[in-house]
Amino acid sequence: MAEEKREGREVNEEEDQVVNPWEVSAGDGGKIDYDKLIDKFGCQRLDDVIIRRVEHLTTRPAHVFLRRGVFFAHRDFNDLLDSYERGEKFYLYTGRGPSSEALHLGHLVPFMFTKYLQEAFKVPLVIQLTDDEKCMWKNLSVEESMRLARENAKDIIACGFDVTKTFIFSDFDYVGGAFYRNMVKIQKCVTYNKVVGIFGFTGEDHIGKVSFPSIQAAPSFPSSFPHLFSGKTDLRCLIPCAIDQDPYFRMTRDVAPRIGHHKPALIESLFFPALQGETGKMSASDPNSAIYVTDSAKDIKNKINKYAFSGGQDSAEKQRLYGANLEVDIPIKYLNFFLEDDAELDHIKAAYAKGDMLSGQVKKRLAEILTGMVERHRRERAAVTEEMVDAFMAVRPLPSMFD
Amino acid sequence: MAEEKREGREVNEEEDQVVNPWEVSAGDGGKIDYDKLIDKFGCQRLDDVIIRRVEHLTTRPAHVFLRRGVFFAHRDFNDLLDSYERGEKFYLYTGRGPSSEALHLGHLVPFMFTKYLQEAFKVPLVIQLTDDEKCMWKNLSVEESMRLARENAKDIIACGFDVTKTFIFSDFDYVGGAFYRNMVKIQKCVTYNKVVGIFGFTGEDHIGKVSFPSIQAAPSFPSSFPHLFSGKTDLRCLIPCAIDQDPYFRMTRDVAPRIGHHKPALIESLFFPALQGETGKMSASDPNSAIYVTDSAKDIKNKINKYAFSGGQDSAEKQRLYGANLEVDIPIKYLNFFLEDDAELDHIKAAYAKGDMLSGQVKKRLAEILTGMVERHRRERAAVTEEMVDAFMAVRPLPSMFD
């Protein structure tokens, strides 16, 4: 079995941009070079042919995140579609490290997309809350990590997942039994040198970090969920995630055939940029770098006006003369994620680029859209009861999933 | 908190004897130097004062393994007895790596002694079967490791433990929940460099080995068993084990105060010597190095006659003249473990040393004793039903344990 391409170390390389599960930063270029990343990681670009294929197989238009290249890279997604076309179901696996109480818009992106995939392909979904990871990496107690996991589960449920098709679990709660046995099988296939190569651990890192990759890998294998799939252990798995998680799943894909499972397929997204510009992911330590689902309409308006990096000119006069540089303009990038109306987006981009629209007008429209989104999210979240959380997190068969 | 003394590397040192959980071999001296080991590990010798204290507190004679120095070293056993004297109960924790179908006599030693401790102190006991360890270190499948764990559980139960005071668990079966959360707490306190220092792992070892020490550490803390002790999480723990397991528990004792628990106390035994002589532990790969509980009377007689290293002279005539060297004589050493009658043992030793007894006579008596032991064990084991195994391994409160 050929090893996944480019298993090399992603950190401390000569190349200037750094992308791994704990750090995303653009190099001297000032923005992430995604083409370079695809080359470096050895995944494939998600092209129009695949997008049309998805539309054909699901008989619905592709999600805006597909059409606009937010999910832009993949591994074996075509093979997964082949098997789906032959009538084989698969399941989705995504996750979240519950490090903060309030989610920001970037956190919602994979869940919005996963909800679309679940609906479009009519497949079950497992969502891993890695409270153990956050306890190990951040200075959080077990109890606080578990509390955050449950709070985050409410935000995830508010995205609209179907409880009959979705199992949400926290590692501290669920790890054990078949899941633990798979962890050990995975660990046996991965040397310390290997995880150092992939993740850049040092001898001063604690041993929990060293073995953690097996915990994020385990949900890629249906046998980790003996209760879930009516005993079907040969299901394929599709993982939607941001591309910084790719190292975990390259490792997982190397291990898969050695423990008798399919390699999981991946569909990978860009990073959602910080308000200050596309130099990396948003920083949890700077609340002004992101719009949170807890922000008020006024917060949103102020943050966008004050912090959103603009590609427009610095006076209305110059803007009318020279137009805006859309390549670096954060309001345009955010609209690209969240303004679903293609015609309106095209109009704004054209007018803004020519100078017919001013920065302030674009920002105003963005604030309207994000306020609507965030308020809708808050309404949905307020309707999530403890009983609903219990229902999503109950260890149970997903009924008649594969009939 | 001062670090446990002598955390240094136990393997590949200049000193010639090697003792760690995976390797025990005497150096050029030809036998294990236990005094050196006590110094090196930094534990204490178990002296007559402590033994008399045990007799006083338990109001029964000390076990033969205590009287004869089979259990010869300890950590904080006196402190544990102090708290016991004040009326605080503790629990016992021992374990086994289920690597082979049939146990040999050396395997029974810690269980025989643990049974005595359980009865004498009237305390609960947890027994960990590290099927995950054996799956990781030996080339065993998960399923085969779990099967061996259950088979070994039957041998352990045959030693006569009280089901109302004993919880036996296999890691592959039980790890999860509170146990897993303790594993993570422990892992956070132990760096990779630390486990390399203690256990001598290399970069080519897999990541399961690297984090395994946390799994053997976790049962030292009562909070790993929330069902067991009626919510009492401040219990002390006493671990009877062979001294090669000391590195695990030095690590555990360093971690304990950092996660809010008492350091476990230890009571540590000599290695049970191979028939061929006291150069190390018995080797599972050489069936003629040990007496197995499955051996017939004839097997036992033959093995002793053929393989048991003798300190007697090589002819009856010379033996009558010069007597035997008891220091290296394996039949005498075995009798020291298993012949309970002090008077008879003293008589045999004196007569044999003087030349009044011949090697053959000592070996004959040993064969009688071991055959009786082994046949008794087999009868007890045959009486162990699957229902009894289920009862010992059921996750349950140990009723009225601390009333």
Side-chain angles (χ1 to χ4, degrees):
Chain A
M1 215 68 60
E3 189 164 278
E4 293 286 306
K5 200 180 156 199
R6 295 301 312 265
E7 273 290 349
R9 185 163 186 155
E10 265 68 65
V11 287
N12 302 328
E13 280 202 335
E14 288 173 340
E15 296 171 43
D16 49 8
Q17 69 182 6
V18 177
V19 175
N20 65 52
W22 306 283
E23 188 184 356
V24 175
S25 67
D28 300 334
K31 53 184 279 190
I32 303 287
D33 183 337
Y34 286 104
D35 285 324
K36 220 180 196 179
L37 212 54
I38 283 182
D39 268 7
K40 186 181 166 72
F41 283 1
C43 40
Q44 280 80 47
R45 191 165 268 282
L46 222 156
D47 58 24
D48 288 344
V49 178
I50 301 188
I51 295 171
R52 280 196 296 275
R53 199 173 172 206
V54 169
E55 291 186 320
H56 172 73
L57 287 170
T58 61
T59 62
R60 66 170 71 193
H63 191 277
V64 61
F65 290 165
L66 271 180
R67 293 200 317 266
R68 299 196 188 143
V70 170
F71 279 79
F72 74 107
H74 75 97
R75 289 180 185 270
D76 285 353
F77 188 42
N78 249 326
D79 295 346
L80 184 100
L81 295 178
D82 288 346
S83 75
Y84 185 79
E85 195 162 18
R86 288 193 304 268
E88 293 171 29
K89 292 264 176 152
F90 61 89
Y91 73 102
L92 294 162
Y93 156 37
T94 192
R96 159 156 183 76
S99 57
S100 60
E101 194 116 4
L103 275 64
H104 59 55
L105 297 180
H107 292 140
L108 294 184
V109 165
F111 293 110
M112 293 166 75
F113 188 63
T114 301
K115 174 179 184 291
Y116 149 77
L117 291 173
Q118 178 178 61
E119 286 178 357
F121 287 102
K122 301 179 180 60
V123 288
L125 161 66
V126 299
I127 299 176
Q128 179 182 43
L129 301 172
T130 54
D131 45 8
D132 51 351
E133 178 198 9
K134 291 304 167 182
C135 172
M136 289 194 269
W137 261 265
K138 313 277 172 186
N139 201 12
L140 291 181
S141 71
V142 169
E143 294 68 27
E144 175 65 1
S145 304
M146 291 180 80
R147 191 186 68 76
L148 289 174
R150 197 169 167 96
E151 288 305 307
N152 283 191
K154 292 175 189 165
D155 283 289
I156 292 168
I157 292 167
C159 293
F161 292 104
D162 177 353
V163 70
T164 69
K165 288 198 184 69
T166 306
F167 176 51
I168 302 179
F169 67 99
S170 117
D171 287 344
F172 274 141
D173 198 47
Y174 181 70
V175 165
F179 191 101
Y180 174 63
R181 296 192 285 276
N182 272 353
M183 276 167 53
V184 170
K185 287 184 191 176
I186 296 161
Q187 288 169 359
K188 282 179 76 171
C189 298
V190 182
T191 65
Y192 177 74
N193 285 342
K194 182 92 169 183
V195 293
V196 167
I198 300 175
F199 301 104
F201 298 132
T202 75
E204 284 307 304
D205 279 316
H206 65 66
I207 57 175
K209 292 185 182 182
V210 172
S211 59
F212 177 76
S214 69
I215 298 171
Q216 187 156 331
S220 312
F221 305 125
S223 56
S224 297
F225 305 99
H227 60 283
L228 216 57
F229 305 122
S230 324
K232 291 191 168 48
T233 55
D234 62 343
L235 282 184
R236 286 174 193 270
C237 175
L238 173 63
I239 305 173
C241 62
I243 197 165
D244 59 330
Q245 302 297 303
D246 189 83
Y248 280 120
F249 300 116
R250 285 207 302 280
M251 186 201 90
T252 307
R253 286 166 51 86
D254 274 351
V255 168
R258 298 172 61 190
I259 66 171
H261 277 296
H262 294 295
K263 294 184 177 195
L266 298 175
I267 181 163
E268 300 178 316
S269 74
L270 310 172
F271 308 117
F272 189 77
L275 281 169
Q276 284 76 1
E278 204 182 38
T279 53
K281 283 202 297 189
M282 281 171 293
S283 158
S285 59
D286 177 7
N288 291 322
S289 71
I291 307 291
Y292 287 85
V293 295
T294 47
D295 284 344
S296 67
K298 200 177 153 200
D299 292 334
I300 293 173
K301 191 178 151 202
N302 285 344
K303 280 189 184 181
I304 292 175
N305 284 335
K306 197 162 170 189
Y307 301 108
F309 188 86
S310 177
Q313 305 298 329
D314 49 14
S315 73
E317 207 156 70
K318 279 164 76 181
Q319 169 66 11
R320 286 197 189 92
L321 270 176
Y322 305 113
N325 175 4
L326 304 194
E327 282 302 298
V328 298
D329 192 88
I330 287 295
I332 289 294
K333 288 187 188 293
Y334 277 32
L335 288 172
N336 193 54
F337 277 83
F338 298 124
L339 173 53
E340 288 194 30
D341 182 334
D342 291 332
E344 187 187 354
L345 181 65
D346 287 346
H347 165 76
I348 291 175
K349 284 163 82 171
Y352 189 38
K354 273 199 299 181
D356 292 348
M357 268 183 101
L358 304 181
S359 267
Q361 294 172 295
V362 177
K363 286 182 168 182
K364 184 161 178 289
R365 181 65 183 124
L366 177 64
E368 282 168 15
I369 288 168
L370 297 190
T371 301
M373 253 183 82
V374 159
E375 287 180 348
R376 200 162 48 245
H377 182 86
R378 275 207 293 273
R379 276 198 305 277
E380 296 293 338
R381 192 187 191 283
V384 176
T385 62
E386 295 298 330
E387 291 69 29
M388 285 165 71
V389 179
D390 290 342
F392 272 94
M393 299 185 79
V395 174
R396 69 205 189 276
L398 295 184
S400 59
M401 189 55 62
F402 295 104
D403 292 354
Chain B
M1 214 68 60
E3 187 163 279
E4 293 286 307
K5 199 182 154 196
R6 294 301 311 264
E7 271 291 347
R9 186 163 185 155
E10 266 67 66
V11 289
N12 302 326
E13 280 201 336
E14 287 172 343
E15 295 170 43
D16 48 8
Q17 70 182 6
V18 178
V19 175
N20 64 52
W22 307 282
E23 189 183 356
V24 175
S25 67
D28 298 336
K31 53 183 281 192
I32 303 286
D33 183 336
Y34 286 105
D35 286 323
K36 219 182 198 176
L37 212 52
I38 282 181
D39 268 6
K40 185 181 165 72
F41 284 0
C43 39
Q44 280 78 50
R45 192 165 269 282
L46 221 157
D47 59 24
D48 288 344
V49 178
I50 300 189
I51 294 170
R52 278 196 297 273
R53 197 172 174 206
V54 169
E55 290 184 321
H56 172 72
L57 287 171
T58 61
T59 63
R60 66 170 69 192
H63 191 277
V64 61
F65 290 166
L66 271 180
R67 295 200 315 266
R68 299 199 187 140
V70 171
F71 280 78
F72 74 107
H74 75 97
R75 290 180 184 271
D76 284 354
F77 188 40
N78 251 325
D79 295 345
L80 184 99
L81 295 178
D82 288 347
S83 74
Y84 184 79
E85 197 162 18
R86 289 194 302 268
E88 294 170 29
K89 292 264 175 153
F90 60 89
Y91 73 102
L92 295 161
Y93 155 38
T94 191
R96 162 157 179 76
S99 58
S100 60
E101 195 115 4
L103 275 63
H104 59 57
L105 297 180
H107 293 140
L108 295 184
V109 165
F111 293 110
M112 294 167 74
F113 187 63
T114 301
K115 174 182 185 292
Y116 150 77
L117 291 173
Q118 177 177 63
E119 286 178 357
F121 288 100
K122 300 179 182 60
V123 288
L125 162 65
V126 298
I127 300 176
Q128 179 181 44
L129 301 173
T130 54
D131 44 7
D132 51 352
E133 178 198 10
K134 290 305 165 181
C135 172
M136 289 194 271
W137 261 266
K138 313 277 172 187
N139 201 12
L140 291 181
S141 69
V142 169
E143 295 68 27
E144 177 64 2
S145 304
M146 291 180 80
R147 191 187 69 77
L148 288 174
R150 197 169 169 95
E151 287 307 306
N152 283 190
K154 292 176 188 165
D155 283 288
I156 292 167
I157 292 167
C159 292
F161 292 104
D162 178 353
V163 69
T164 70
K165 288 199 185 68
T166 306
F167 174 53
I168 303 179
F169 66 98
S170 116
D171 286 343
F172 274 142
D173 200 44
Y174 182 71
V175 165
F179 191 100
Y180 173 63
R181 296 192 285 275
N182 272 352
M183 278 168 51
V184 170
K185 287 183 190 176
I186 296 161
Q187 288 168 0
K188 282 180 76 172
C189 298
V190 183
T191 65
Y192 177 74
N193 284 343
K194 182 92 169 183
V195 293
V196 167
I198 301 174
F199 301 104
F201 298 132
T202 74
E204 285 307 304
D205 279 316
H206 64 67
I207 57 175
K209 292 186 181 182
V210 172
S211 59
F212 178 76
S214 69
I215 298 172
Q216 187 156 331
S220 312
F221 306 124
S223 56
S224 298
F225 306 99
H227 60 283
L228 216 56
F229 304 122
S230 324
K232 291 191 169 45
T233 55
D234 62 342
L235 283 183
R236 287 174 193 270
C237 175
L238 172 64
I239 305 173
C241 62
I243 197 166
D244 59 330
Q245 301 299 302
D246 188 81
Y248 280 120
F249 300 117
R250 285 206 303 280
M251 185 201 89
T252 306
R253 286 166 51 85
D254 275 352
V255 168
R258 299 172 61 190
I259 65 170
H261 277 296
H262 294 295
K263 294 183 177 196
L266 296 175
I267 180 163
E268 300 178 316
S269 75
L270 309 173
F271 308 116
F272 189 77
L275 281 169
Q276 284 76 1
E278 204 182 37
T279 52
K281 284 202 298 188
M282 281 172 294
S283 160
S285 59
D286 177 7
N288 290 323
S289 71
I291 308 291
Y292 287 84
V293 295
T294 46
D295 284 344
S296 68
K298 201 177 154 201
D299 292 334
I300 293 173
K301 190 177 153 204
N302 286 343
K303 281 188 182 180
I304 292 175
N305 284 335
K306 198 161 170 188
Y307 301 108
F309 189 86
S310 178
Q313 305 297 330
D314 51 15
S315 74
E317 207 155 70
K318 280 164 73 183
Q319 169 66 10
R320 288 200 187 89
L321 272 175
Y322 304 114
N325 174 6
L326 303 193
E327 284 300 300
V328 298
D329 191 89
I330 287 296
I332 289 293
K333 288 188 188 293
Y334 277 32
L335 287 172
N336 193 56
F337 278 83
F338 299 123
L339 174 51
E340 289 195 29
D341 182 333
D342 291 332
E344 186 186 356
L345 181 65
D346 287 344
H347 165 76
I348 291 175
K349 285 163 83 172
Y352 188 38
K354 275 199 298 183
D356 292 348
M357 267 184 101
L358 303 180
S359 265
Q361 294 171 295
V362 177
K363 287 183 166 181
K364 184 163 176 290
R365 182 65 184 124
L366 176 64
E368 281 168 18
I369 288 167
L370 297 190
T371 300
M373 253 184 80
V374 160
E375 287 180 349
R376 200 163 48 247
H377 181 85
R378 275 207 293 274
R379 276 196 307 277
E380 296 293 339
R381 192 187 193 282
V384 176
T385 61
E386 296 297 332
E387 290 70 28
M388 285 165 71
V389 179
D390 291 341
F392 273 94
M393 299 186 79
V395 174
R396 66 203 192 277
L398 295 184
S400 57
M401 188 54 62
F402 295 103
D403 293 353

Short mmCIF file of all heavy atoms in Angstrom, two decimals, chain A residues 246-274:
data_model
loop_
_atom_site.label_atom_id
_atom_site.label_comp_id
_atom_site.label_asym_id
_atom_site.label_seq_id
_atom_site.Cartn_x
_atom_site.Cartn_y
_atom_site.Cartn_z
N ASP A 246 -6.07 18.19 7.76
CA ASP A 246 -5.60 17.17 6.83
C ASP A 246 -4.52 16.25 7.42
O ASP A 246 -4.56 15.03 7.19
CB ASP A 246 -5.10 17.84 5.54
CG ASP A 246 -4.80 16.85 4.45
OD1 ASP A 246 -5.73 16.42 3.75
OD2 ASP A 246 -3.62 16.46 4.31
N PRO A 247 -3.56 16.77 8.20
CA PRO A 247 -2.53 15.87 8.75
C PRO A 247 -3.10 14.69 9.54
O PRO A 247 -2.61 13.56 9.44
CB PRO A 247 -1.70 16.79 9.64
CG PRO A 247 -1.85 18.15 9.01
CD PRO A 247 -3.27 18.19 8.51
N TYR A 248 -4.13 14.93 10.35
CA TYR A 248 -4.76 13.83 11.09
C TYR A 248 -5.25 12.73 10.15
O TYR A 248 -5.12 11.54 10.43
CB TYR A 248 -5.99 14.33 11.86
CG TYR A 248 -5.67 15.03 13.16
CD1 TYR A 248 -6.05 16.34 13.37
CD2 TYR A 248 -5.01 14.35 14.18
CE1 TYR A 248 -5.78 16.98 14.58
CE2 TYR A 248 -4.74 14.98 15.38
CZ TYR A 248 -5.12 16.30 15.58
OH TYR A 248 -4.85 16.92 16.77
N PHE A 249 -5.84 13.18 9.03
CA PHE A 249 -6.52 12.19 8.20
C PHE A 249 -5.59 11.57 7.16
O PHE A 249 -5.87 10.48 6.66
CB PHE A 249 -7.79 12.80 7.63
CG PHE A 249 -8.73 13.23 8.73
CD1 PHE A 249 -9.07 14.56 8.92
CD2 PHE A 249 -9.20 12.30 9.64
CE1 PHE A 249 -9.89 14.95 9.97
CE2 PHE A 249 -10.01 12.67 10.71
CZ PHE A 249 -10.37 13.99 10.87
N ARG A 250 -4.49 12.22 6.87
CA ARG A 250 -3.44 11.54 6.09
C ARG A 250 -2.95 10.34 6.90
O ARG A 250 -2.81 9.24 6.39
CB ARG A 250 -2.26 12.47 5.82
CG ARG A 250 -2.54 13.50 4.77
CD ARG A 250 -1.26 13.95 4.07
NE ARG A 250 -0.27 14.51 4.97
CZ ARG A 250 -0.29 15.75 5.45
NH1 ARG A 250 -1.29 16.56 5.16
NH2 ARG A 250 0.67 16.19 6.24
N MET A 251 -2.69 10.59 8.20
CA MET A 251 -2.28 9.50 9.08
C MET A 251 -3.35 8.41 9.11
O MET A 251 -3.05 7.22 8.97
CB MET A 251 -2.02 10.04 10.49
CG MET A 251 -1.46 9.03 11.46
SD MET A 251 -1.74 9.51 13.19
CE MET A 251 -3.34 8.74 13.48
N THR A 252 -4.59 8.83 9.27
CA THR A 252 -5.71 7.88 9.35
C THR A 252 -5.79 7.04 8.07
O THR A 252 -6.04 5.82 8.12
CB THR A 252 -7.03 8.65 9.54
OG1 THR A 252 -6.90 9.52 10.66
CG2 THR A 252 -8.18 7.69 9.75
N ARG A 253 -5.61 7.68 6.93
CA ARG A 253 -5.72 6.97 5.65
C ARG A 253 -4.57 5.96 5.48
O ARG A 253 -4.76 4.91 4.88
CB ARG A 253 -5.77 7.98 4.51
CG ARG A 253 -7.12 8.71 4.42
CD ARG A 253 -7.06 9.94 3.52
NE ARG A 253 -6.49 9.65 2.23
CZ ARG A 253 -7.18 9.18 1.18
NH1 ARG A 253 -8.49 8.99 1.29
NH2 ARG A 253 -6.56 8.92 0.05
N ASP A 254 -3.41 6.29 6.00
CA ASP A 254 -2.31 5.30 5.97
C ASP A 254 -2.65 4.07 6.79
O ASP A 254 -2.32 2.94 6.43
CB ASP A 254 -1.02 5.93 6.54
CG ASP A 254 -0.24 6.68 5.48
OD1 ASP A 254 -0.61 6.58 4.29
OD2 ASP A 254 0.73 7.36 5.84
N VAL A 255 -3.29 4.30 7.93
CA VAL A 255 -3.58 3.21 8.85
C VAL A 255 -4.74 2.34 8.34
O VAL A 255 -4.74 1.11 8.51
CB VAL A 255 -3.93 3.78 10.26
CG1 VAL A 255 -4.51 2.70 11.15
CG2 VAL A 255 -2.68 4.41 10.90
N ALA A 256 -5.73 2.98 7.71
CA ALA A 256 -7.01 2.32 7.40
C ALA A 256 -6.87 0.90 6.81
O ALA A 256 -7.43 -0.06 7.38
CB ALA A 256 -7.84 3.22 6.48
N PRO A 257 -6.14 0.72 5.70
CA PRO A 257 -6.10 -0.63 5.12
C PRO A 257 -5.42 -1.64 6.04
O PRO A 257 -5.72 -2.83 5.99
CB PRO A 257 -5.31 -0.43 3.82
CG PRO A 257 -4.60 0.86 3.96
CD PRO A 257 -5.40 1.70 4.89
N ARG A 258 -4.54 -1.16 6.93
CA ARG A 258 -3.82 -2.08 7.83
C ARG A 258 -4.73 -2.61 8.92
O ARG A 258 -4.41 -3.62 9.55
CB ARG A 258 -2.60 -1.37 8.44
CG ARG A 258 -1.61 -0.94 7.35
CD ARG A 258 -0.50 -0.07 7.91
NE ARG A 258 0.30 -0.76 8.92
CZ ARG A 258 1.20 -0.16 9.69
NH1 ARG A 258 1.40 1.14 9.55
NH2 ARG A 258 1.88 -0.85 10.58
N ILE A 259 -5.84 -1.94 9.16
CA ILE A 259 -6.77 -2.46 10.17
C ILE A 259 -8.10 -2.85 9.53
O ILE A 259 -9.13 -2.94 10.21
CB ILE A 259 -6.96 -1.48 11.36
CG1 ILE A 259 -7.64 -0.19 10.92
CG2 ILE A 259 -5.62 -1.14 12.00
CD1 ILE A 259 -8.04 0.70 12.11
N GLY A 260 -8.06 -3.07 8.21
CA GLY A 260 -9.22 -3.65 7.54
C GLY A 260 -10.36 -2.70 7.25
O GLY A 260 -11.52 -3.13 7.16
N HIS A 261 -10.06 -1.42 7.08
CA HIS A 261 -11.12 -0.46 6.78
C HIS A 261 -10.81 0.32 5.50
O HIS A 261 -9.67 0.42 5.08
CB HIS A 261 -11.28 0.52 7.94
CG HIS A 261 -12.13 -0.01 9.05
ND1 HIS A 261 -13.46 -0.32 8.90
CD2 HIS A 261 -11.83 -0.29 10.35
CE1 HIS A 261 -13.94 -0.77 10.05
NE2 HIS A 261 -12.98 -0.77 10.94
N HIS A 262 -11.87 0.88 4.91
CA HIS A 262 -11.69 1.83 3.81
C HIS A 262 -10.96 3.06 4.33
O HIS A 262 -11.16 3.48 5.47
CB HIS A 262 -13.05 2.29 3.26
CG HIS A 262 -13.84 1.21 2.61
ND1 HIS A 262 -13.41 0.59 1.45
CD2 HIS A 262 -15.03 0.65 2.91
CE1 HIS A 262 -14.32 -0.32 1.09
NE2 HIS A 262 -15.30 -0.32 1.97
N LYS A 263 -10.17 3.69 3.44
CA LYS A 263 -9.64 5.01 3.77
C LYS A 263 -10.79 6.01 3.78
O LYS A 263 -11.61 6.00 2.85
CB LYS A 263 -8.63 5.45 2.71
CG LYS A 263 -7.37 4.62 2.64
CD LYS A 263 -6.40 5.21 1.62
CE LYS A 263 -5.11 4.41 1.63
NZ LYS A 263 -4.01 5.11 0.94
N PRO A 264 -10.88 6.88 4.77
CA PRO A 264 -11.93 7.90 4.71
C PRO A 264 -11.66 8.88 3.56
O PRO A 264 -10.50 9.18 3.27
CB PRO A 264 -11.81 8.61 6.07
CG PRO A 264 -10.39 8.37 6.50
CD PRO A 264 -10.01 7.02 5.97
N ALA A 265 -12.73 9.33 2.92
CA ALA A 265 -12.61 10.41 1.93
C ALA A 265 -12.71 11.75 2.66
O ALA A 265 -13.29 11.83 3.74
CB ALA A 265 -13.71 10.28 0.89
N LEU A 266 -12.10 12.77 2.07
CA LEU A 266 -12.11 14.09 2.69
C LEU A 266 -12.63 15.13 1.72
O LEU A 266 -12.43 15.01 0.51
CB LEU A 266 -10.67 14.50 3.08
CG LEU A 266 -9.93 13.65 4.10
CD1 LEU A 266 -8.50 14.16 4.25
CD2 LEU A 266 -10.63 13.75 5.45
N ILE A 267 -13.29 16.13 2.25
CA ILE A 267 -13.63 17.31 1.47
C ILE A 267 -13.29 18.51 2.34
O ILE A 267 -13.76 18.63 3.47
CB ILE A 267 -15.09 17.25 0.97
CG1 ILE A 267 -15.44 18.46 0.13
CG2 ILE A 267 -16.09 17.02 2.09
CD1 ILE A 267 -16.70 18.25 -0.71
N GLU A 268 -12.36 19.34 1.85
CA GLU A 268 -11.65 20.28 2.72
C GLU A 268 -11.88 21.74 2.33
O GLU A 268 -11.90 22.08 1.15
CB GLU A 268 -10.15 19.97 2.68
CG GLU A 268 -9.87 18.54 3.15
CD GLU A 268 -8.40 18.14 3.07
OE1 GLU A 268 -7.75 18.46 2.04
OE2 GLU A 268 -7.92 17.52 4.03
N SER A 269 -12.02 22.57 3.36
CA SER A 269 -12.35 23.98 3.12
C SER A 269 -11.15 24.90 3.33
O SER A 269 -10.18 24.56 4.00
CB SER A 269 -13.47 24.43 4.07
OG SER A 269 -12.96 24.59 5.37
N LEU A 270 -11.29 26.09 2.74
CA LEU A 270 -10.43 27.22 3.08
C LEU A 270 -10.61 27.55 4.55
O LEU A 270 -11.57 27.12 5.18
CB LEU A 270 -10.89 28.47 2.29
CG LEU A 270 -11.11 28.38 0.79
CD1 LEU A 270 -11.74 29.69 0.30
CD2 LEU A 270 -9.78 28.14 0.10
N PHE A 271 -9.73 28.39 5.08
CA PHE A 271 -9.95 28.96 6.40
C PHE A 271 -10.86 30.16 6.26
O PHE A 271 -10.77 30.90 5.29
CB PHE A 271 -8.62 29.38 7.03
CG PHE A 271 -7.64 28.27 7.02
CD1 PHE A 271 -6.46 28.36 6.31
CD2 PHE A 271 -7.92 27.08 7.69
CE1 PHE A 271 -5.57 27.32 6.27
CE2 PHE A 271 -7.03 26.03 7.65
CZ PHE A 271 -5.85 26.15 6.94
N PHE A 272 -11.72 30.34 7.23
CA PHE A 272 -12.55 31.53 7.25
C PHE A 272 -11.66 32.66 7.75
O PHE A 272 -11.08 32.57 8.83
CB PHE A 272 -13.74 31.30 8.17
CG PHE A 272 -14.75 32.39 8.10
CD1 PHE A 272 -15.62 32.44 7.02
CD2 PHE A 272 -14.83 33.36 9.08
CE1 PHE A 272 -16.56 33.45 6.94
CE2 PHE A 272 -15.77 34.37 8.99
CZ PHE A 272 -16.63 34.42 7.92
N PRO A 273 -11.52 33.74 6.97
CA PRO A 273 -10.50 34.73 7.33
C PRO A 273 -10.90 35.60 8.52
O PRO A 273 -12.08 35.81 8.80
CB PRO A 273 -10.37 35.59 6.07
CG PRO A 273 -11.65 35.41 5.34
CD PRO A 273 -12.18 34.05 5.69
N ALA A 274 -9.90 36.11 9.20
CA ALA A 274 -10.10 37.08 10.28
C ALA A 274 -10.56 38.40 9.67
O ALA A 274 -10.31 38.68 8.49
CB ALA A 274 -8.80 37.28 11.05
#
